[in-house]
């Protein structure tokens, strides 16, 4: 288990990785958050100023119902709120537009602008947040219009009503312009327009067209040409719904500007509907829809314009439509929900978010892998040169404490170096092997050679003890490093797999979906939709919408048919009802495993008490694996139960996280051994079965043997590992066995295995007892074994007892496969 310093190091690097300025800048540049996706590719100041002046000029000319000017003050208010530095150019543009109509309109617009500035200066003292700006617009427009009408004639209720209507229109238009003007004047990337914003944008375009009323080119009306062009664009981009909506709005606004244009609403709406329905035929079909609508409306409707003029206007709009670059229409369609281009833009955004997330997860995976390498210890065998170096260092340490003050130092280490070195090396080896010098010849020779012979031997013994302690500590450090490295590698692998899962995209299976749907329909199964998520062997995942599942047709008919079509056992995973009547259903189908396991458990505590020191668990792991575990805590009672249950809980959490079983057991061992200074031991018996191929792995740590019953043959599975928590390092031996259909797996705690005290050879007796049991039901076998063990103990329960029995069998679908001609679906 990683100690606190390791965790602090890891967390510190992780936090520094997250908090690094370059990382955050990279995230921002990658449009990580939604706010960044709305980053504006801004116009220059002069471009925006020219656009504001142009829009202001057209809106200054926009007159509806013969005399009302409801667009001027709303536009000025939006500019005042949005770009205050452009308020004066916008005001002069509005006045210029009104002047192009008449001086009376120019005077009205000028007065309205001055009244608005006056009221706004007063309201700013009260309404600093400008929440009541639309109310200010209403008051400005109503007061100006009423004053104008009163000056021209006497006061009347009609004048007050007219002023109120224009004020109300101005208030609504203000709210609309707040939504549409910023959209019109900004370039945005990855912008998604709501349906309401599309309508507001079209209303703004219609308002601008109102300012072109009366403009003619070769007797062709500019507003009619542009209106039909806009309808063509939106019908081509958004389909019939958007096209007809835009047609109605444009026609309505133009008819308000000139009652003679009332037929335009029908023409534009019909052409938008017809063009949208024909959008699959590309631009030619959409243009044909406008031509047909123009001919029909000109020939049979009450149209004041000649047929020839109407047709020329439509042809002019079609010409503009064909000259529109494809990039423009694709860009516009990416803003409108429901279009393929918009879906692609959203997919790009989601893919970018996914790639960034996967990249960060991969960074953490690499971080843990790098940390594991820093803890990895390459245990190489020491060469002869290294051994001699260690001996030299050891003997130099001994001589420093013995020979430095000796009078014969020069004699021994200068003149008789080889002899002295040889004697001390032999003494060291004798002490290493026997703990003392037992060779009399060596003692006699050393005594003649050295004046402080006994002191040298004593120092050698002391130094050897110190070296042994250091070696043990070094070995423990190496093992701890290995454990930490294994844990970090396990975490790195899990995070790496998670990153790959994030980046895994759904494969396109359009052809297979259609073929499966046709195959089901051909044999009489009505299917609304088939959507395939995966066709990999052993991992089939598809969704089918059935118009009726009243009689469980999904399980009885569709699943067997899919099993035959895909040549693999397919079952119903989940059913969702799509209607209140409970008939229409969305059914999720998936692969089933080749094997199934049915288990039974018998469990009792020592002396028949409630709390047992044994704990057990069965769990399904990812990737089609099934785990069974028994843990026996040291002793009996509540303390043993807590220890064994903690072992099982830790095991479940670690295995579910995706870390390997060997690393899991080592981690649990380190936790239990480091958590308390008391002697706390737990055994662990773990079996993991692969339900696809029947391969079973047994990991036994201080546990009793398990048995596999296959017909009349009984196979023992055992290992000699010490219990968890007894030592700091635990070696986990993995025993593998190939299970077959019909096998019985029997796991037990020591309370079961050691129950028959009078039996000498427990293993042989246990095999014979298991062989004699007739296989029926796993729970019955577990109960029979438990009852037999209690009888062998004379009715007394001397220890906690747990037995876990599992039957392995082939998966058999509830309904037989229906055979039909198949194709290669992979």
């Amino acid at each position: 288990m990683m100690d606190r310093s390791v965790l602090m190091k890891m967390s510190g690097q992780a936090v520094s990785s997250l908090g690094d300025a370059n990382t955050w800048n990279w995230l921002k540049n990658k449009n990580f958050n939604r706010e960044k996706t709305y980053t504006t590719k801004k116009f220059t100041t002069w471009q925006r100023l020219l656009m504001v002046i142009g829009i202001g000029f057209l809106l200054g000319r926009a007159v509806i119902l013969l005399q009302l000017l409801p667009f001027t003050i709303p536009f000025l208010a939006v500019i005042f709120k949005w770009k205050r530095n452009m308020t004066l150019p916008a005001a002069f543009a509005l006045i210029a537009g009104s002047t192009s109509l008449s001086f009376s309109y120019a005077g009205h617009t000028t007065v309205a602008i001055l009244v608005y500035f006056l009221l706004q200066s007063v309201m700013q003292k009260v309404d600093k947040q400008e929440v009541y700006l639309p109310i200010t617009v209403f008051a400005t427009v109503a007061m100006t219009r009423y004053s104008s009408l009163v000056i021209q004639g006497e006061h009347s209720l009609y004048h007050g009503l007219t002023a109120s209507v224009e004020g109300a229109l101005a208030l609504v238009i203000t709210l609309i312009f707040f939504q549409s003007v910023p959209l019109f004047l900004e370039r945005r990337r990855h912008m998604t327009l709501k349906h309401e914003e599309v309508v507001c944008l079209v209303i703004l375009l219609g308002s601008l067209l109102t300012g072109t009323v009366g403009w003619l080119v070769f007797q062709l009306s500019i507003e009619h040409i542009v209106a039909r062009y806009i309808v063509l664009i939106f019908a081509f981009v958004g389909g019939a719904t958007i096209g007809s909506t835009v047609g109605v709005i444009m026609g309505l606004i133009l008819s308000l500007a000139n009652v003679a244009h009332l037929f335009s609403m029908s023409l534009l709406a019909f052409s938008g509907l017809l063009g949208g329905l024909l959008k699959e035929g590309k631009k030619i079909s959409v243009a044909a829809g406008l031509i047909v609508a123009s001919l029909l409306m000109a020939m049979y409707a009450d149209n004041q314009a000649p047929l020839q003029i109407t047709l020329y206007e439509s042809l002019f709009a079609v010409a503009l439509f064909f000259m529109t670059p494809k990039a423009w229409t694709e860009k516009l369609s990416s803003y409108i929900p429901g279009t393929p281009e918009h879906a692609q833009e959203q997919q790009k955004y989601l893919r970018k978010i996914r790639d960034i997330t996967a990249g960060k997860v991969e960074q953490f995976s690499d971080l843990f892998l790098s940390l594991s390498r820093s803890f990895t210890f390459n245990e190489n065998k020491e060469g002869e040169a290294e051994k001699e170096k260690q001996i030299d260092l050891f003997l130099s340490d001994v001589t420093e404490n013995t020979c430095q003050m000796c009078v014969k130092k020069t004699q021994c280490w200068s003149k008789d170096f080889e002899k002295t070195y040889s004697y001390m090396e032999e003494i060291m080896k004798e002490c290493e092997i026997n703990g003392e010098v037992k060779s009399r010849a060596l003692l006699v020779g050393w005594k003649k050679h050295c004046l402080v012979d006994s002191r040298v031997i004593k120092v050698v013994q002391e130094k050897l003890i110190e070296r042994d302690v250091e070696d043990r500590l070094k070995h423990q450090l190496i093992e701890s490093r290995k454990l930490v490295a294994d844990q970090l590698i396990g975490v790195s692998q899990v995070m790496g797999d998670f990153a790959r899962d994030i980046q895994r995209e759904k494969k396109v299976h359009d052809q297979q979906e259609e073929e499966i749907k046709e195959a089901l329909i051909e044999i009489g199964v009505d299917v609304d939709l088939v959507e395939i998520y995966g066709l990999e062997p052993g991992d089939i995942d598809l969704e089918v919408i059935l118009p009726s599942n009243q009689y469980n047709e999904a399980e009885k008919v569709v699943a067997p048919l899919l099993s035959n079509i895909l040549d693999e056992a397919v079952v119903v995973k989940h059913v969702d009802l799509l209607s209140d009547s409970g008939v229409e259903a969305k059914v999720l189908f998936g692969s089933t495993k080749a094997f199934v396991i049915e288990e039974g458990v018998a469990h009792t505590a020592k002396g028949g008490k409630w709390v047992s020191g044994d704990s057990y668990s069965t769990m399904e792991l990812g990737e089609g694996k099934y785990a069974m575990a028994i843990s026996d805590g040291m002793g009996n009672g509540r303390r043993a139960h807590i220890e064994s249950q903690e072992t099982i809980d830790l095991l479940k959490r670690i295995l579910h996280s995706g870390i390997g079983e060997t690393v899991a057991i080592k981690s649990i061992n380190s936790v239990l051994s480091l958590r308390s200074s008391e002697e706390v031991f737990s055994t662990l018996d773990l079996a993991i079965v692969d339900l696809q191929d029947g391969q079973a792995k047994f990991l036994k740590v201080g546990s009793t043997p398990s048995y596999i019953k296959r017909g009349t043959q009984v196979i023992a599975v055992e290992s000699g590992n010490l219990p968890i928590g007894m030592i700091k390092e635990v070696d986990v031996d993995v025993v593998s066995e190939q299970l077959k259909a019909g096998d019985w797996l029997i796991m037990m705690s020591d309370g079961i295995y050691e129950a028959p005290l009078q039996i000498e050879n427990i293993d042989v007796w246990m095999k014979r007892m298991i062989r004699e049991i007739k296989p029926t039901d796993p729970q019955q076998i577990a109960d029979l074994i438990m009852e037999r063990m209690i009888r062998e103990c004379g009715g007394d329960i001397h220890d906690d007892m747990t037995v876990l029995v599992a039957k392995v069998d082939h998966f058999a679908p509830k309904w037989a496969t229906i055979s039909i001609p198949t194709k290669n679906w992979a």
Side-chain angles (χ1 to χ4, degrees), residues 252-268:
L252 178 62
I253 295 177
L254 290 179
S255 64
L256 290 176
N258 188 349
V259 180
H261 294 161
L262 188 59
F263 86 100
S264 297
M265 184 165 59
S266 302
L267 170 61
L268 295 174

Side-chain angles (χ1 to χ4, degrees), residues 8-20 364 367-368:
M8 290 176 65
K9 182 179 179 182
M10 289 168 54
S11 61
Q13 292 192 22
V15 171
S16 66
S17 176
L18 279 175
D20 188 76
F364 278 108
L367 169 64
F368 285 114

Side-chain angles (χ1 to χ4, degrees), residues 179-230:
Q179 294 289 326
S180 56
V181 169
L183 299 177
F184 194 80
L185 294 178
E186 290 183 355
R187 294 180 184 175
R188 298 188 178 189
R189 293 180 179 177
H190 310 298
M191 177 178 62
T192 299
L193 297 179
K194 300 177 182 178
H195 293 290
E196 295 81 2
E197 292 176 331
V198 174
V199 172
C200 292
L201 185 59
V202 174
I203 292 175
L204 175 60
L205 294 175
S207 303
L208 294 176
L209 283 183
T210 306
T212 65
V213 172
W215 290 2
L216 300 176
V217 177
F218 299 109
Q219 303 301 317
L220 302 181
S221 176
I222 295 296
E223 69 268 20
H224 289 169
I225 296 173
V226 177
R228 294 171 196 180
Y229 169 73
I230 292 174

Side-chain angles (χ1 to χ4, degrees), residues 62-76:
V63 179
I64 63 173
L65 300 178
L66 303 178
Q67 61 177 343
L68 302 184
L69 292 167
F71 302 106
T72 54
I73 301 303
F75 177 70
L76 184 67

